[in-house]
Amino acid sequence: MELECEKNHLVQALQVVSRAINPRSPLPILSHVLFQCQGEQLSCTATDLDFGVVISVGASALDSGSVACPARLLNDIVAKLPGAPVRLKANADGRLHIHCGRSKFEISTLPAEEFPGIPQPGELPQVGAPQKSLKGAIRRVTFATASSEESRAVMTGVYTHIEGSQLTLVATDGRRMAYHELAIDNPEGLQVQAIVPGRAMLELSRLLNDSEEPVYFSLAQGQFYCSIGNVAMHSRLLEGVFPDYRRVLPQSFQRFARVGRESLLGAIQRMLVVAQEKQSPNLIVMDVGGDSMTLSANTPDVGVAQEEVAVVYEGDPLKIAFNGKYVVDALSVLDCEEVEFDLQDDTRSGVIRPYGQIEYKYVVMPVRLREVVEEAAV
Amino acid sequence: MIAHIDMDAFYASVELRDNPRWRGKPVVVGYDGSRGVVAAASYEARKYGVFSAMPMAKAVRLCPGLVVAPPRFEVYSSISSGLRALYAEYTARVEPLALDECYLDLFEWESPGRIVAEIRSRIHSAFGLPASAGIGPNKYVAKVASGKAKPDGQLLIAAESVLEFLWPLPVSELWGVGPKTAERLRNHGLVFIEQVAASSVEDLTRIVGRSGADLHKLAWGRDDRPVETDFEAKSLSCEHTFERDCGDLEELGRVLKRQVTRLEERLGRLRMRAGLAVVKIRWPDFRTETRSVRLRSGSLWEASMSVLAERLRVVKQPVRLLGLGVGDLVSEDVPTQLELF
């Protein structure tokens, strides 16, 4: 294999594929990027066997062929090269020669044949969504996935449901749940439910831009496939049964609070500074009634804090406590002026959504306070 | 003064109280079966040489006509709570040692002997159960005295009579001296506590190791440990040995369910909740494994059952012993994050 390529193209390609490389992988080949060069194209592939990325960049092949190069090392070298065309040549002795301006490098490679096969989507039915809205939806949902040390692996993924012209994304860690509906273009009437790893969702959103231009993807054969411009990514889907999210979407509320998103976000962030109780971290008490919501935090040995936020409120007064971090997480990913915080009572879930919109719902369970326990025990 | 109140043959006495037809008969509490052990023996049964911790099969052999009552821990446990409530009327400083044993700090009372007599008589009328008590200047003396007061009696050892009381007793009455240590002491000519008191700490250390200094102190009737009232359970557990190794998930599940119920009741009484479940499994080859799993609210049953099912699927062997424990206990008063699923 021998080729010439713009340095910038190579830098971009190596950056994109590096996302799929696990530097601690026990298999040496997985820390390598596969170069395949033919005609005017260099395609670079990396995978950790669950998640993989392929990017094609313009190059002039002097001799087509393929080789697996150590990704980190190559990335470090290429990033520091002067801004001149880069010439790569893989020799039969397994060495890759890198020439750029007056610089020369020679590094070891592995044979391309050792590189694992990458699942190919072939001719699968696809659905399309505007990049900007899909990117926003992923951002508003994926943060609610469970971290990997949690016991239920399915909850580290985003439940993805395609039916008709609607895509539904749901993520939960068991204590809060983010739900998003999105209109999609589904020309072939694809109907599918799958759990896409949260990580793959985040990688996808990194590749998306803020345009109305559609992105197409498919969910089939246990894989999620998506290609955007010159990048194609795939991820193994998570197996298992996702919790029945419909069951925990509250159907009715007794209390409705409309509140400025930023003022509530700021107030809770300030309360969190003192909410440091070890056994119930980030505990924020909300006292809502009339036209105000009083937030407070109290950690013996640390301090107390209180702040009042103006609300438009309907319903009986309520004292309810939350893990303030859960509320902050949701308020931070929204970009609306006002949110509606719909509540039932102090032991049932509340729902946060952008005011006047129904596509997004964030369900959050409260923290049961001591007083309630005592009353219940009497 | 400190009192050590100890219920007489507690479980067996409860069974005798609730089953009048057994009165006068030798009764033990425990599971009847080849692997059961005696959890408690009535005084009638003790006459036949039956004692707690003895294998049930041996007890039955020693004592023909022995009545074997299956344990009812929930009953014993609720009596125990009642007893503690009664003690609490006399002193805030109560240290429970077991369901049937407590230390009471009675330093505020002028005549502790009279108070203890009153407590014992109230136990008798409220619960219909006999209790014995030892009263002494410290925990050690009180505990030895309650042993001497049994059954259904009390013994007060005033500070000035401590040595007179202790010294004629055999070395096995020293705290921490089991059969092996007693043997070692006897081999060095130390048979009675008085002889231990007369030995030097150095000699004792040579004989029994590091605990030599402690033994010397005890032999002189000295024990400065206070009654610990801030005792808090850090973990709870129970286990079940199967009559025959059991590979039937349904039956294992039933046993586990009982254990879950029992632990949940105990947690409820302590007003605690658990953050961790520990499943213990002993396989036929005696290999014992424990698996812990984080608990989210209300899922002790689900969490432990899924661990059990998973281990059974992997190991593919019957189970000899199944145990369940809970740890990371926190007070119910700590706010709880509620769960969606």
Side-chain angles (χ1 to χ4, degrees), chain A residues 64 89 287 310 315:
Chain A
S64 59
K89 183 169 188 239
D287 247 310

Side-chain angles (χ1 to χ4, degrees), chain B residues 179-206:
Chain B
K180 283 210 176 123
T181 310
E183 168 101 51
R184 216 172 295 152
L185 290 167
R186 278 196 297 271
N187 290 344
H188 286 81
L190 307 178
V191 180
F192 297 103
I193 293 183
E194 181 172 12
Q195 292 164 306
V196 175
S199 308
S200 68
V201 172
E202 292 71 33
D203 287 342
L204 288 172
T205 307
R206 252 193 307 281

Side-chain angles (χ1 to χ4, degrees), chain B residues 77-151:
Chain B
S77 180
S78 91
I79 294 171
S80 177
S81 309
L83 289 170
R84 276 179 218 169
L86 197 158
Y87 303 149
E89 291 180 31
Y90 294 89
T91 171
R93 305 189 58 80
V94 176
E95 179 182 341
L97 294 176
L99 285 180
D100 56 345
E101 259 186 276
C102 266
Y103 284 117
L104 272 59
D105 183 332
L106 298 178
F107 281 97
E108 281 176 21
W109 292 94
E110 265 179 33
S111 42
R114 193 178 54 74
I115 292 303
V116 169
E118 182 179 315
I119 292 174
R120 287 178 49 245
S121 118
R122 285 186 61 190
I123 293 175
H124 212 284
S125 50
F127 300 97
L129 294 170
S132 296
I135 306 143
N138 57 48
K139 282 177 161 183
Y140 169 59
V141 173
K143 173 132 184 165
V144 176
S146 76
K148 301 295 161 208
K150 279 178 177 299

